[in-house]
């Protein structure tokens, strides 16, 4: 039977209004509305036109109800700058990623999450701080509240055993801690990333059209939402500031910056030193200022120079993009088991291109016999077991 929910999802995933789809396939807008309400079922010829226009196989529209994500579930950045169409495209990608994730988890044992809940357990954050002081002999700042981003970032680093070392591959690190990470591949600067808790699992979606440094900051920003704002509203300027502060502290630990940042804060010096933490020049400039290492005048001067040199649009001496390690292992295991990309797409009732756009381009690369070009070192990953 035709599933109207699948039509709505596919249309929004392609960023189309009902009117757009109706004009594209030469069907009345009233008919599209009737299809999506379930008042009418498209004839075979109309269904073929719909499937071709939306680039989904016809079987997708005959599948079970997909998981529908709503804006209140996800922690979108820059909500005021994002159009409803862009938001729907991103949420549509998230819904399809949930289908893919469920399929993967039915065949593989993926890591369970290791995320504290700083938004609900203030005593937990204090306990982590005290344990860190005892175990490492390093003074640990007592948090003023469970939502204090700086203390939360330091506590999480302590729990994960990172110390003051830079996070070499954020995606691999997050995956090793049980966070499911997928790519959005949406060519829109207004859509940065979003995260959510769904079915007891943490998810992060990254827009890979951004620079590698931008994606790393987005990943840390969304990590902040996952540990700080798990139970409450995930939107609003104050929560975004908290997530930004968490990301800054997580990627550039206070003691590490105080020890390794340039003594003379010039733009060339920041470009050289930003590579140590693999962050953007703008992020390092902000972090140094927030730690009192530069004056207001120096900070503003550097901000102006960043803009004049075009470094806000294009990162100088940029790093290569990080990719998923878990998904690479998944597709490698499928290839060894003789499962082709067409088989995966057929079982999910979506195209190979759709899956590829959600998996950092790994599906088409690995399942056709290639391998990831990501040369970054990864943290030790949990064993990935294929469930027969």
């Amino acid at each position: 039977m035709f599933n109207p929910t699948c039509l709505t999802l596919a249309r929004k995933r392609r960023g189309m209004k009902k009117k757009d789809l109706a004009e594209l396939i030469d069907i009345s807008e009233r008919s599209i509305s009737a299809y999506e309400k379930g008042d009418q079922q498209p004839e075979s010829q109309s269904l073929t036109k719909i499937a071709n226009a939306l680039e989904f196989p016809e079987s997708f529209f005959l599948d079970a109800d997909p998981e529908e994500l709503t804006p209140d579930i996800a922690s979108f950045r820059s909500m005021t700058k994002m159009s409803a169409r862009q938001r729907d495209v991103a949420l549509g990608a998230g819904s399809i990623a949930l289908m893919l994730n469920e399929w993967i988890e039915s065949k593989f044992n993926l890591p369970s999450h290791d995320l504290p809940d700083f938004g609900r357990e203030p005593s937990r954050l204090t306990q982590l701080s005290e344990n860190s002081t005892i175990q490492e002999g390093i003074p640990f700042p007592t948090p003023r509240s469970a939502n204090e981003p700086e203390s939360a970032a330091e506590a999480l680093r302590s729990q994960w055993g990172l110390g003051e070392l830079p996070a070499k591959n954020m995606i691999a690190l997050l995956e090793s801690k049980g966070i499911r990470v997928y790519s959005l591949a949406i060519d829109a600067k207004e859509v940065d990333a979003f995260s959510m808790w769904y079915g007891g699992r943490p998810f992060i979606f990254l827009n890979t059209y951004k620079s590698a440094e931008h994606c790393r900051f987005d990943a840390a920003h969304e990590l902040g939402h996952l540990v700080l704002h798990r139970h409450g509203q995930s939107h609003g300027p104050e929560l975004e500031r908290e997530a930004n502060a968490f990301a800054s502290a997580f990627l550039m630990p206070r003691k590490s910056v105080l020890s390794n940042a340039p003594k003379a804060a010039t733009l060339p010096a920041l470009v050289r030193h930003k590579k140590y933490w693999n962050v953007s020049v703008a992020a390092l400039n902000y972090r140094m200022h927030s730690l009192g290492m530069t004056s207001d005048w120096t900070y503003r001067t550097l901000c102006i120079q960043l803009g004049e040199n075009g470094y806000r649009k294009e990162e100088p001496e940029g790093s290569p993009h990080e990719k998923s390690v878990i998904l690479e292992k998944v597709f490698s295991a499928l290839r060894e088991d003789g499962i082709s990309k067409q088989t995966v797409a057929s079982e999910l009732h979506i195209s190979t291109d759709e899956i590829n756009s959600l998996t950092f381009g790994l599906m088409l690369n690995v399942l056709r016999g290639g391998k990831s070009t990501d040369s970054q070192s990864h943290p030790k990953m949990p064993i990935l077991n294929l469930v027969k």
Side-chain angles (χ1 to χ4, degrees):
M1 294 289 291
F2 176 78
N3 189 332
T5 306
C6 292
L7 172 56
T8 303
L9 170 58
R11 177 178 59 77
K12 289 184 176 181
R13 175 71 182 103
R14 298 296 176 242
M16 291 188 189
K17 297 180 180 179
K18 295 175 186 176
K19 179 181 179 182
D20 300 330
L21 179 58
E23 292 178 352
L24 187 61
I25 61 177
D26 196 24
I27 294 177
S28 69
E29 185 178 350
R30 180 178 298 179
S31 294
I32 299 295
S33 295
Y35 298 157
E36 293 194 10
K37 290 178 182 177
D39 295 337
Q40 181 182 344
Q41 292 210 11
E43 297 179 356
S44 176
Q45 186 177 8
S46 297
L47 179 58
T48 300
K49 289 182 177 180
I50 290 172
N52 291 337
L54 297 178
E55 299 178 8
F56 278 87
E58 290 185 33
S59 57
F60 176 81
F61 302 95
L62 309 176
D63 204 359
D65 281 344
E67 302 289 347
E68 288 188 275
L69 300 183
T70 55
D72 60 299
I73 293 177
S75 64
F76 279 110
R77 298 177 66 184
S78 305
M79 283 288 287
T80 56
K81 298 179 182 178
M82 188 186 311
S83 68
R85 183 191 68 81
Q86 291 168 336
R87 181 201 63 205
D88 288 344
V89 170
L91 288 174
S95 294
I96 295 171
L98 288 179
M99 297 165 53
L100 174 59
N101 189 76
E102 182 179 358
W103 185 89
I104 290 174
E105 297 211 35
S106 71
K107 299 181 179 298
F108 295 89
N109 292 323
L110 302 186
S112 300
H113 83 77
D114 179 22
L115 284 182
D117 187 355
F118 293 153
R120 185 179 60 184
E121 302 173 314
S123 60
R124 172 66 171 153
L125 185 54
T126 305
Q127 180 184 351
L128 283 170
S129 303
E130 293 171 348
N131 287 346
S132 177
T133 303
I134 294 171
Q135 293 171 6
E136 301 174 16
I138 299 173
F140 198 101
T142 302
R144 294 189 293 272
S145 72
N147 281 338
E148 186 180 15
E150 184 90 18
S151 295
E154 292 187 24
L156 184 59
R157 274 184 153 269
S158 175
Q159 177 170 323
W160 286 358
L162 298 178
E164 300 294 318
L165 295 174
K168 293 194 181 232
N169 186 324
M170 274 298 295
I171 294 177
L173 173 63
L174 296 175
E175 289 180 324
S176 72
K177 303 304 178 182
I179 301 172
R180 311 301 188 242
V181 186
Y182 290 94
S183 56
L184 290 174
I186 298 174
D187 190 9
K189 65 181 184 196
E190 295 84 3
V191 183
D192 284 297
F194 72 92
S195 59
M196 64 183 183
W197 284 88
Y198 200 91
R201 294 181 177 87
F203 289 83
I204 289 178
F205 300 88
L206 301 174
N207 188 341
T208 51
Y209 275 87
K210 308 294 183 180
S211 71
E213 292 84 357
H214 194 139
C215 285
R216 281 172 54 83
F217 194 90
D218 284 346
H221 176 103
E222 297 307 327
L223 175 61
H225 278 307
L226 290 174
V227 298
L228 294 174
H229 312 134
R230 179 173 179 178
H231 302 283
Q233 184 182 6
S234 55
H235 305 296
E238 181 59 31
L239 300 188
E240 289 304 304
R241 282 191 291 270
E242 287 185 359
N244 277 335
F246 176 94
S248 184
F250 188 85
L251 291 174
M252 295 166 283
R254 178 172 55 90
K255 293 173 186 175
S256 176
V257 176
L258 293 175
S259 300
N260 297 290
K263 303 307 177 185
T266 64
L267 192 57
L270 262 61
V271 171
R272 289 194 304 270
H273 284 75
K274 65 145 185 151
K275 299 174 186 176
Y276 180 78
W277 299 277
N278 202 1
V279 296
S280 68
V281 179
L284 180 56
N285 180 36
Y286 176 85
R287 181 60 169 157
M288 290 178 63
H289 181 60
S290 69
L291 292 175
M293 299 179 70
T294 58
S295 66
D296 291 346
W297 182 87
T298 300
Y299 172 71
R300 287 194 295 267
T301 299
L302 287 169
C303 285
I304 294 171
Q305 292 176 356
L306 280 167
E308 290 175 344
N309 285 271
Y311 291 167
R312 294 192 178 281
K313 294 182 178 179
E314 186 172 347
E315 187 64 30
E317 301 182 25
S319 302
H321 276 85
E322 299 171 351
K323 293 184 179 180
S324 165
V325 175
I326 287 286
L327 292 172
E328 182 179 18
K329 289 179 180 289
V330 164
F331 292 135
S332 294
L334 292 173
R335 183 185 64 194
E336 292 173 4
D337 224 38
I339 299 177
S340 68
K341 59 182 181 289
Q342 287 82 7
T343 300
V344 178
S346 177
E347 290 190 17
L348 286 167
H349 306 294
I350 53 181
S351 69
T352 55
D353 288 341
E354 188 72 34
I355 301 175
N356 202 49
S357 70
L358 294 171
T359 58
F360 304 90
L362 287 170
M363 183 198 182
L364 297 184
N365 188 25
V366 177
L367 281 190
R368 72 183 175 205
K371 59 183 179 180
S372 173
T373 57
D374 181 20
S375 59
Q376 305 244 2
S377 57
H378 311 305
K380 185 176 180 181
M381 300 296 292
I383 296 174
L384 190 65
N385 297 319
L386 177 60
V387 180
K388 299 290 187 181

